[in-house]
């Protein structure tokens, strides 16, 4: 066995990490060079161990904070209350706006440009009596306007 | 239930207080700079916080913290761009060249550690700096003891050569 062959074993022996040390110890007894290397390695280990005791700068590791159950519960309740306060979207369309139209002279309804079918034509030519009042009902659709015609007795025309 | 969480927080705080220097020191020796070591230590304690209830605080925590520290440091080293080791010479007066003072020797060792591979560094930090036995090191690193010995001998010889070359 040469010194090079035993170099790794000497490195382990320096820290007491060699399981079977007989061969290395026999070699060390006869080899001054390897004894010197052993001393260096042991010195190195001592210096490495010294790094453990080197004062580190006073730094503190930020610590995570546990969140308590009641905090979660309070958060959940608050979130629930907020949800209750938020107005719900309207499920039905708002009623059409109604505009009162005062009674006036005889009105002849003009056919709508896009009116289709017999019903539209019949309405278009109908003469309305002077005692008729109209309620004009606006809807969300600009093209749809409902005219509600009635006489002063409340009869629908 | 209300009593449980203050007790848990207190136990966690106590554990961090006892272990933070050890975790920080180990991370510092593996990573080579304090800023990265602090980041790593914080990550380790965040993970500890997550798994705190599953660990046996007496038997398991220390080894778990070492293992987690090493793993987090490996992650940091993987993300880090390779750094070329500078040909560093301690600034000494000619009369002092043969006798480095303690601070310079420490700096030389710290620099030498950065020349090792991450695994060699972890082994030498755990065995020679933290003074754990090879079996504990093997368990922490999840390798065989024979692997630890192999990396240990390599690392010690590399360090010796580095120090000799710089003296």
């Amino acid at each position: 066995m040469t010194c090079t062959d035993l170099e790794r074993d000497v490195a382990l022996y320096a820290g007491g990490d060699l399981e079977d040390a007989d061969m290395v110890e026999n070699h060390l007894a006869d080899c001054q060079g390897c004894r010197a290397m052993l001393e260096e390695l042991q010195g190195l280990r001592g210096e490495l161990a010294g790094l453990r005791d080197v004062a580190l700068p006073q730094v503190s590791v930020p610590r995570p904070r546990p969140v308590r159950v009641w905090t979660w519960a309070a958060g959940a309740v608050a979130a629930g209350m907020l949800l209750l306060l938020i107005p719900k979207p309207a499920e039905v369309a708002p009623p059409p706006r109604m505009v009162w139209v005062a009674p006036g002279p005889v009105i002849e309804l003009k056919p709508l440009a896009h009116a289709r079918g017999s019903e539209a034509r019949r309405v278009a030519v109908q003469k309305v009596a002077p005692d008729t009042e109209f309620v004009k009902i606006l809807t969300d659709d600009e093209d749809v306007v409902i005219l509600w015609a009635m006489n002063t007795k409340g009869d629908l025309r | 239930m209300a009593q449980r969480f203050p007790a848990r927080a207190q136990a966690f705080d106590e554990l961090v207080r006892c272990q933070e220097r050890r975790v920080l020191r180990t991370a510092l020796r593996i990573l080579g700079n304090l800023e990265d070591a602090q980041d790593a230590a914080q990550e380790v304690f965040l993970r500890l916080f997550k798994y705190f209830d599953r660990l046996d605080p007496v038997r398991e925590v220390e080894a778990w913290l070492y293992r987690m520290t090493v793993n987090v440091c490996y992650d940091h080293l993987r993300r880090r761009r390779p750094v070329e080791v500078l040909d560093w010479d301690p600034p000494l007066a000619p009369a002092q060249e043969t006798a480095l003072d303690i601070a310079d020797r420490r700096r030389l060792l710290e620099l030498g550690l950065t020349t090792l591979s991450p695994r060699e560094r972890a082994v030498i930090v755990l065995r020679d700096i933290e003074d754990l036995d090879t079996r504990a090191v093997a368990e922490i690193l999840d390798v065989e003891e024979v692997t630890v010995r192999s990396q240990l001998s390599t690392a010690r010889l590399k360090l010796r050569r580095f120090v000799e070359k710089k003296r």
Side-chain angles (χ1 to χ4, degrees), chain B residues 34-81:
Chain B
L34 189 60
E35 192 178 337
D36 285 354
Q38 275 183 273
D39 287 348
Q42 186 178 9
E43 194 170 334
V44 168
F45 284 115
L46 278 171
R47 293 188 191 186
L48 173 67
F49 183 72
K50 187 175 176 184
Y51 296 106
F52 186 57
D53 289 335
R54 303 182 207 170
L55 294 173
D56 181 331
V58 178
R59 292 190 309 159
E60 290 181 323
V61 162
E62 205 165 286
W64 189 94
L65 279 173
Y66 273 127
R67 186 178 308 122
M68 203 50 64
T69 304
V70 170
N71 288 340
V72 167
C73 288
Y74 282 168
D75 290 344
H76 272 254
L77 290 171
R78 267 193 291 270
R79 288 197 295 266
R80 187 191 286 177
R81 285 189 303 176

Side-chain angles (χ1 to χ4, degrees), chain B residues 88 100 104-112 162-163 166:
Chain B
W88 179 81
L100 292 169
D104 285 330
R105 292 280 299 179
R106 279 180 184 158
R107 275 193 294 169
L108 190 59
L109 272 183
E110 287 165 357
L111 192 65
F162 180 85
V163 170
K166 297 294 177 185

Side-chain angles (χ1 to χ4, degrees), chain A residues 11 15 17 40 45 47 52, chain B residues 105 127-129 156 160:
Chain A
D17 301 301
E40 284 174 27
R45 282 205 76 232
E47 290 178 60
R52 185 174 57 238
Chain B
R105 292 280 299 179
R127 175 69 189 101
D128 286 348
I129 299 179
R156 283 177 184 161
R160 173 181 167 262

Side-chain angles (χ1 to χ4, degrees), chain B residues 1 10 18 23-24 32 35 37 40 52-53 57 67 70 75 81-82 86 94 113 126 130 140 144 150-151 155 163 165:
Chain B
M1 181 66 83
Q10 197 175 354
C18 292
V23 169
L24 190 63
E35 192 178 337
F52 186 57
D53 289 335
R67 186 178 308 122
V70 170
D75 290 344
R81 285 189 303 176
L86 299 173
L113 285 173
L126 295 175
E130 294 298 310
I140 288 167
E144 298 290 331
S150 171
Q151 290 172 334
V163 170
K165 190 179 160 190

Side-chain angles (χ1 to χ4, degrees), chain A residues 7-19 33 36-37 40-41 43-45 47-70, chain B residues 5-6 8-9 12-13 16-17 20-21 24-25 28-29 34 38 41-42 45-46 49 105-106 109-110 113 124 127-131 134 149-150 152-154 156-157 159-161 163-164:
Chain A
E7 193 180 46
R8 297 175 71 86
D9 283 351
V10 173
L12 289 177
Y13 183 77
D17 301 301
L18 191 64
E19 286 185 318
M37 183 173 76
E40 284 174 27
L41 285 164
L44 195 66
R45 282 205 76 232
E47 290 178 60
L48 283 168
L51 290 180
R52 185 174 57 238
D53 302 322
V54 171
L56 293 175
Q58 285 298 317
V59 291
S60 182
V61 176
R63 296 166 199 192
R65 289 280 155 208
V67 180
R68 299 166 190 227
V69 162
W70 62 264
Chain B
F5 284 86
R8 182 184 190 273
F12 181 77
D13 265 1
V16 173
R17 198 164 27 251
E20 75 178 329
R21 308 303 286 177
L24 190 63
R25 184 178 65 214
L28 174 63
R29 296 307 171 208
L34 189 60
Q38 275 183 273
Q42 186 178 9
F45 284 115
L46 278 171
F49 183 72
R105 292 280 299 179
R106 279 180 184 158
L109 272 183
E110 287 165 357
L113 285 173
I124 211 132
R127 175 69 189 101
D128 286 348
I129 299 179
E130 294 298 310
D131 200 27
T134 51
R149 289 199 183 90
S150 171
L152 193 56
S153 62
T154 304
R156 283 177 184 161
L157 291 172
L159 267 182
R160 173 181 167 262
R161 286 190 197 107
V163 170
E164 284 301 302

Side-chain angles (χ1 to χ4, degrees), chain A:
Chain A
M1 282 286 194
T2 65
C3 298
T4 308
D5 293 333
L6 289 173
E7 193 180 46
R8 297 175 71 86
D9 283 351
V10 173
L12 289 177
Y13 183 77
D17 301 301
L18 191 64
E19 286 185 318
D20 185 0
D22 290 348
M23 190 184 294
V24 169
E25 285 175 348
N26 289 336
H27 179 81
L28 287 170
D30 298 330
C31 181
Q32 192 176 354
C34 285
R35 281 202 302 274
M37 183 173 76
L38 176 64
E39 283 179 18
E40 284 174 27
L41 285 164
Q42 286 172 332
L44 195 66
R45 282 205 76 232
E47 290 178 60
L48 283 168
L51 290 180
R52 185 174 57 238
D53 302 322
V54 171
L56 293 175
Q58 285 298 317
V59 291
S60 182
V61 176
R63 296 166 199 192
R65 289 280 155 208
V67 180
R68 299 166 190 227
V69 162
W70 62 264
T71 309
W72 282 104
V77 169
M81 291 180 74
L82 274 176
L83 282 176
L84 287 176
L85 291 176
I86 295 173
K88 290 181 181 176
E91 293 177 0
V92 293
R97 285 181 297 131
M98 299 179 73
V99 180
W100 179 256
V101 181
V106 172
I107 297 172
E108 184 173 350
L109 296 176
K110 302 290 185 186
L112 297 172
H114 59 273
R116 295 285 187 275
S118 58
E119 182 65 16
R121 279 194 298 275
R122 189 178 66 77
V123 170
V125 298
Q126 186 177 3
K127 300 284 186 182
V128 181
D131 60 343
T132 300
E133 289 180 343
F134 287 89
V135 174
K136 183 181 181 184
I137 304 174
L138 305 177
T139 69
D140 289 338
D141 189 342
E142 290 179 356
D143 292 335
V144 179
V145 178
I146 300 170
L147 283 176
W148 185 13
M150 60 186 175
N151 63 15
T152 51
K153 297 175 184 173
D155 297 332
L156 284 175
R157 296 290 174 96

